[in-house]
Amino acid sequence: MEGERLASQARSSGLPAGGATGESPGVDAPLLGSSGSSALLQAEVLDLDEDEDDLEVFSKDASLMDMNSFSPMMPTSPLSMINQVKFEDEPDLKDLFITVDEPESHVTTIETFITYRIITKTSRGEFDSSEFEVRRRYQDFLWLKGKLEEAHPTLIIPPLPEKFIVKGMVERFNDDFIETRRKALQKFLNRIADHPTLTFNEDFKVFLTAQAWELSSHKKQGPGLLSRMGQTVRAVALSMRGVKSRPEEFMEMNNFIEIFSQKINLIDKISQRIYKEEREYSDEMKEYGPIHVLWSASEEDLVDSLRGVARCLDQCCKATEKRMSGLSEALLPAVHEYVLYSEMVMGVMKRRDQIQAELDSKVEALTYKKADTDLLIEEIGKLEDKVECANNALKADWERWKHNMQNDIKSAFTDMAEENIHYYEQCLATWESFLASQTDLHMEETSEDKPESH
């Protein structure tokens, strides 16, 4: 059968069998995550991108190759673990390097939006050049994510940063917000590049190399609106129908991700709140030290002590700023990314269930002979292959995802611990130095007060 042929090809190429299906699930996974910041404030959200307009894109020797869907016969490269963590027995064969930088603001009569420069360097033979430079906006990233979900419904696609921001938390196109999004978009692309199946997806290649008109033309290919609506309606109907007998291993996956989602969302929410409170504490500390300096002007006998305290507070403020910077660059992004990942995984589970539900409905129809028997038997055979491919793809990607998640979370916690140790050691040394200076000062004063012996 066709499904068996695809599964066989996938196994021979080292890919998960589900990566060869190319079937569209019909229902998009959630695009937005529940931000820890948004849970703290009741506020209006801003939509940063409104339409699908494309901008001019620059490419070095870029031309589109065959637009056919991803071929399961393509060779695979070894999986690069997240944060450059690799298996000890696996050589470093990374051959695709992607950088996202130079954000630019564009103002039109209709909207204001940001584009980012994407530089790709590669040694892969299927690319026409070794280096490409393009500009993309957020809508283009959303398109790529959607195409990957269509082509690989039961692979875990990396999450994108949310499209919306909370009014009051950051200004529209605030520099910090743009930089945070730039880092997240770069991580998104490099996670795809490091994935053994997604990295060879044709739409991914087009995204990295196509000029503006080529990308626009490529986006218009594929099923039309009515076809997509039909697929969506069918998928929704199957999801409402439910799955009669989900395999035990997928029950365990589902239970795991539900618990994981609850815990990681809670950690994200509390971490964001702690960060906000510590930021306010740091701002208060900045005003605290100068007050001691002002006081010293009217307290001649306390000048050294007051100015010593002011110096300590100033040094502790600087240490706090450094610690807050480390927190915002390491722990907070890692935790929030896995909030979004948990939603992505739940979407993958639903799409797997939809594929199985379609098989269940055909088997039920055959049982009650609700349609042509020969046709049903043929459809059931194809769906059985499709379910097997989907299951194999999810099982392989699940183990990879769990391994990467554990490495990422451990790394984030280790970085946080090192930041905290360094911070508290600095503050401790600062105040110990102050105490020592006060002890020396007290001894000098005592010595001066003693009467001279004759």
Side-chain angles (χ1 to χ4, degrees):
M1 294 182 184
E2 178 65 11
E4 292 174 346
R5 183 181 66 81
L6 293 175
S8 175
Q9 291 176 344
R11 285 192 293 271
S12 66
S13 63
L15 296 175
T21 64
E23 294 290 332
S24 172
V27 176
D28 290 331
L31 292 178
L32 300 178
S34 57
S35 169
S37 301
S38 61
L40 304 178
L41 298 175
Q42 295 295 327
E44 178 185 356
V45 290
L46 301 176
D47 188 343
L48 298 185
D49 293 276
E50 297 294 340
D51 62 3
E52 295 286 345
D53 291 343
D54 292 306
L55 296 174
E56 181 180 2
V57 182
F58 304 91
S59 174
K60 297 183 179 178
D61 190 23
S63 62
L64 296 185
M65 296 180 68
D66 181 20
M67 293 298 182
N68 292 333
S69 60
F70 160 68
S71 170
M73 296 303 292
M74 286 183 178
T76 62
S77 62
L79 170 66
S80 297
M81 302 309 295
I82 296 171
N83 289 341
Q84 309 305 315
V85 177
K86 298 179 182 296
F87 292 111
E88 293 181 356
D89 60 347
E90 186 177 81
D92 185 359
L93 298 178
K94 187 175 176 70
D95 56 6
L96 189 62
F97 301 87
I98 304 170
T99 303
V100 178
D101 60 13
E102 294 190 6
E104 289 183 0
S105 178
H106 300 263
V107 180
T108 70
T109 55
I110 301 176
E111 61 174 344
T112 300
F113 56 92
I114 304 295
T115 63
Y116 300 84
R117 182 177 72 164
I118 301 173
I119 296 177
T120 303
K121 296 182 180 181
T122 182
S123 59
R124 293 183 184 176
E126 63 265 28
F127 285 82
D128 293 339
S129 177
S130 61
E131 184 173 343
F132 299 87
E133 180 179 320
V134 299
R135 294 203 72 86
R136 298 287 186 253
R137 61 182 295 181
Y138 185 77
Q139 290 287 354
D140 299 324
F141 286 86
L142 279 178
W143 169 83
L144 173 61
K145 176 174 170 290
K147 296 300 288 185
L148 292 175
E149 289 175 349
E150 288 178 14
H152 311 283
T154 55
L155 291 184
I156 301 172
I157 311 299
L160 276 172
E162 293 97 331
K163 184 177 180 179
F164 302 93
I165 60 174
V166 181
K167 193 174 184 179
M169 291 298 290
V170 293
E171 298 176 4
R172 187 177 178 87
F173 302 133
N174 172 277
D175 288 343
D176 291 338
F177 168 77
I178 293 173
E179 176 61 13
T180 298
R181 171 170 279 190
R182 183 199 67 76
K183 291 178 180 178
L185 294 176
Q186 178 168 291
K187 177 171 282 190
F188 169 74
L189 294 179
N190 277 285
R191 287 198 188 279
I192 296 171
D194 289 343
H195 193 284
T197 302
L198 300 178
T199 188
F200 294 107
N201 179 276
E202 184 65 25
D203 291 306
F204 181 47
K205 178 187 169 188
V206 170
F207 177 90
L208 296 177
T209 63
Q211 297 183 33
W213 66 268
E214 292 174 311
L215 181 64
S216 179
S217 174
H218 185 72
K219 282 183 176 182
K220 295 175 182 177
Q221 297 182 9
L225 177 61
L226 292 178
S227 175
R228 293 198 302 271
M229 288 179 62
Q231 292 173 354
T232 301
V233 170
R234 184 181 64 175
V236 170
L238 289 172
S239 64
M240 293 180 65
R241 184 178 185 274
V243 179
K244 289 185 176 180
S245 56
R246 181 188 291 152
E248 181 64 27
E249 56 192 323
F250 296 111
M251 289 290 293
E252 293 176 1
M253 288 184 193
N254 195 69
N255 293 337
F256 176 93
I257 200 61
E258 285 183 356
I259 295 173
F260 175 82
S261 178
Q262 293 172 3
K263 302 305 181 186
I264 201 72
N265 270 280
L266 187 58
I267 288 177
D268 180 58
K269 185 185 298 184
I270 295 174
S271 297
Q272 295 285 352
R273 186 165 67 238
I274 289 174
Y275 179 81
K276 181 174 179 291
E277 291 172 353
E278 290 200 6
R279 175 61 63 191
E280 292 172 352
Y281 166 77
S282 177
D283 292 340
E284 293 286 350
M285 287 279 285
K286 289 177 183 177
E287 299 180 9
Y288 196 31
I291 294 175
H292 290 75
V293 176
L294 292 174
W295 186 12
S296 69
S298 59
E299 289 285 352
E300 185 177 345
D301 294 337
L302 292 176
V303 169
D304 292 333
S305 295
L306 288 170
R307 291 187 175 179
V309 169
R311 284 193 295 271
C312 289
L313 291 171
D314 181 61
Q315 291 177 24
C316 288
C317 276
K318 292 177 181 177
T320 301
E321 283 291 321
K322 187 175 180 181
R323 176 171 171 264
M324 297 297 291
S325 176
L327 191 65
S328 66
E329 292 179 4
L331 180 66
L332 297 184
V335 169
H336 190 66
E337 183 185 23
Y338 277 95
V339 169
L340 303 180
Y341 249 130
S342 68
E343 296 174 358
M344 294 297 297
V345 176
M346 287 181 177
V348 170
M349 298 289 186
K350 289 179 181 178
R351 290 196 289 271
R352 193 220 71 85
D353 285 353
Q354 288 165 7
I355 296 172
Q356 184 179 334
E358 187 176 2
L359 172 60
D360 291 344
S361 67
K362 297 295 183 182
V363 171
E364 182 180 350
L366 179 63
T367 302
Y368 294 100
K369 297 181 180 179
K370 295 180 180 179
D372 181 74
T373 303
D374 293 337
L375 179 61
L376 279 175
I377 292 175
E378 182 181 353
E379 291 178 349
I380 288 172
K382 291 180 180 179
L383 284 171
E384 286 175 341
D385 290 339
K386 185 177 177 181
V387 168
E388 182 182 1
C389 288
N391 289 348
N392 290 339
L394 178 52
K395 284 188 286 187
D397 228 25
W398 172 260
E399 293 303 322
R400 183 184 301 110
W401 178 82
K402 280 188 67 177
H403 186 88
N404 292 347
M405 177 271 291
Q406 291 164 1
N407 279 334
D408 281 352
I409 296 299
K410 286 178 182 178
S411 177
F413 288 163
T414 299
D415 290 344
M416 178 186 68
E418 290 176 349
E419 288 281 351
N420 284 337
I421 290 171
H422 186 62
Y423 167 75
Y424 288 114
E425 283 179 344
Q426 276 189 298
C427 292
L428 180 61
T430 297
W431 289 109
E432 283 180 339
S433 175
F434 170 76
L435 287 177
S437 69
Q438 294 303 297
T439 302
D440 293 342
L441 180 62
H442 177 70
M443 291 178 64
E444 289 176 6
E445 291 174 348
T446 303
S447 176
E448 291 174 357
D449 291 340
K450 286 184 179 180
E452 296 182 3
S453 57
H454 298 282

